[in-house]
Amino acid sequence: EVQLVESGGGLVQPGGSLRLSCAASGFTFSDHYMDWVRQAPGKGLEWVGRIRKKANSYTTEYAASVKGRFTISRDDSKNSLYLQMNSLKTEDTAVYYCVRVSHGMDVWGQGTTVTVSS
Amino acid sequence: DIQMTQSPSSLSASVGDRVTITCRASQGISNNLAWFQQKPGKAPKSLIYAASSLQSGVPSKFSGSGSGTDFTLTISSLQPEDFATYYCQQYNSYPLTFGGGTKVEIK
């Protein structure tokens, strides 16, 4: 079964840092681009960023709202995706989803909740 | 950035109804458009990619059409499990952007 499981969410103060992880199983993780998408409470979906695969030099793209503060990385040997979030703001409060890119964003994790509050 | 505008933002429909949701891009995106369904408290589920291609396992009552700037998602016969929020998303250029969502409620 194709599965993505996020972890690492929690409560953090403004200005703090948090690292999210996503464990992939049931497919060849290294063959796929991977995305992070977030959803603030009661709001719509917002794309956070993308990391390409090794053949594309693991290059990344980011939304303007997180560029310079968030970093996406991956470890293909561990079938894992990461989101390092620094200088967190209250507006970063959201459920963060790990998403496989195949035919579009075809497989989503269940999400992990990040709350930025003092 | 490409803005994605969905209409309506919400609609009420009955079981068995045919429902159509529209998504308009602020500039041409070819057929680089996807549709997602999200139920409360759950992760989004991919329904359609490339404007009209059904994801594996998605029932054929869902269909998509359009190219360029105007797209539609149609549910041919609404069932209780279809009441949810639907989002369109363009992947023609970065940043990837979503529409604001259409909430489909029971009449």
Side-chain angles (χ1 to χ4, degrees), chain B residues 18-39:
Chain B
R18 180 183 180 91
V19 168
T20 297
I21 299 169
T22 297
C23 180
R24 175 164 288 175
S26 60
Q27 61 190 77
I29 59 170
S30 186
N31 69 334
N32 296 312
L33 183 104
W35 289 97
F36 301 90
Q37 175 194 66
Q38 187 179 33
K39 297 180 180 179

Side-chain angles (χ1 to χ4, degrees), chain A residues 23-77:
Chain A
S25 59
F27 65 100
T28 305
F29 178 74
S30 59
D31 284 350
H32 292 269
Y33 294 9
M34 297 294 296
D35 285 353
W36 287 98
V37 175
R38 68 183 181 183
Q39 187 169 36
K43 302 298 184 182
L45 301 170
E46 180 187 17
W47 174 77
V48 172
R50 170 169 291 179
I51 187 165
R52 299 180 179 87
K53 57 188 179 183
K54 182 178 181 180
N56 302 99
S57 305
Y58 298 127
T59 52
T60 53
E61 304 284 348
Y62 295 96
S65 58
V66 307
K67 195 169 187 177
R69 300 187 299 122
F70 289 12
T71 301
I72 300 174
S73 61
R74 63 192 294 165
D75 185 338
D76 290 347
S77 69

Side-chain angles (χ1 to χ4, degrees), chain B residues 28-79:
Chain B
I29 59 170
S30 186
N31 69 334
N32 296 312
L33 183 104
W35 289 97
F36 301 90
Q37 175 194 66
Q38 187 179 33
K39 297 180 180 179
K42 299 296 186 182
K45 173 187 176 183
S46 178
L47 298 176
I48 287 171
Y49 65 97
S52 60
S53 296
L54 228 55
Q55 287 285 4
S56 175
V58 174
S60 58
K61 62 181 171 180
F62 292 97
S63 63
S65 65
S67 184
T69 60
D70 294 315
F71 302 87
T72 59
L73 172 70
T74 299
I75 309 171
S76 60
S77 177
L78 204 63
Q79 297 302 305

